Amino acid sequence: MSEARRFYSSVKDAQALNDVGKIELFVYFITEIEGSDVATTQRLTECFRECSLTPPKTIPQILNRGLTSNPKRYVKGNVGYKLEYHRRDELAKLLGAETHTVQVPPELRELEGKLPEGVGKTWFKEAMDCYGVEAYRAALIMTWIFALDHLLNYILAHKLVEFNAALAAHPDQRTVKKVGLVTARDDFGPIGEEMLLDLCKTAKIVSADVRRIMGVALGVRNTAAHPSGVVVTRSKFVTIAEDLVLNVVLKYLI
């Protein structure tokens, strides 16, 4: 069963909706459940077919009427439509999916916009989504993973010789023997994160200041990653996220 059909089947009395109501329902599914920025006519048509429903021939006209209806149902994006803010919240309540969202600070959105396209940017966008629903602990952990992942990729692409030289000289020879020579991503596995950061500093892959910034972020991550009475605040996350993205991800470009 497709996700669209599973969603449609979960909505009470969905079959009683007219074409306008079904289209609105699928716009919600595409943008809020699938996570697309907008719903296109093509994707809406696919949703109808995945649910064994006949797609209305008037989908474009219904969407356009929703731009000027009272109350307004849709707003137009570059290549599609999404639900108007208040209508989206009303529909979420009807579907039992009401959420309280927090505005992401403009400085973080600006950083997100500077990231190169790819899985890393998508990952960071999901961290921002966690922030938006006040899941600061999850957002912080995801941002740390993003920054560390970027650093490892940077080492593999540009600093492997230097890293292996520092590794070979490290006093923890038990770990050194276990790792051997780093040639691929999985080879970093046995190296603890603190040791990894020390090796990066020794090899002059990162500066002492960046090592300190990442060390602080790692300490906060360690606290956040385990059940405790410590609260991860909004301001703490913003500080850590800015530090990691500015001083690691955007500084050491791959």
Side-chain angles (χ1 to χ4, degrees), residues 142-203:
M142 288 187 69
T143 302
W144 168 260
I145 292 172
F146 170 46
L148 185 65
D149 178 80
H150 181 87
L151 180 60
L152 296 182
N153 287 332
Y154 176 80
I155 293 168
L156 288 171
H158 303 291
K159 297 291 182 178
L160 204 51
V161 173
E162 294 89 334
F163 184 85
N164 278 320
L167 176 63
H170 195 275
D172 183 0
Q173 285 299 303
R174 183 177 179 181
T175 300
V176 173
K177 290 178 181 177
K178 186 182 295 185
V179 176
L181 196 67
V182 173
T183 59
R185 180 57 181 272
D186 289 346
D187 296 336
F188 289 109
I191 304 174
E193 290 169 321
E194 284 284 2
M195 179 176 173
L196 179 72
L197 297 182
D198 285 340
L199 288 169
C200 288
K201 178 186 172 185
T202 300

Side-chain angles (χ1 to χ4, degrees), residues 90-110:
E90 289 171 2
L91 198 54
K93 291 177 184 178
L94 291 174
L95 296 171
E98 181 180 5
T99 57
H100 171 66
T101 58
V102 175
Q103 184 67 36
V104 175
E107 58 267 30
L108 291 184
R109 285 300 185 200
E110 184 179 346

Side-chain angles (χ1 to χ4, degrees), residues 10 151 169 175 222 251:
S10 71
L151 180 60
T175 300
N222 287 340
K251 183 173 183 178

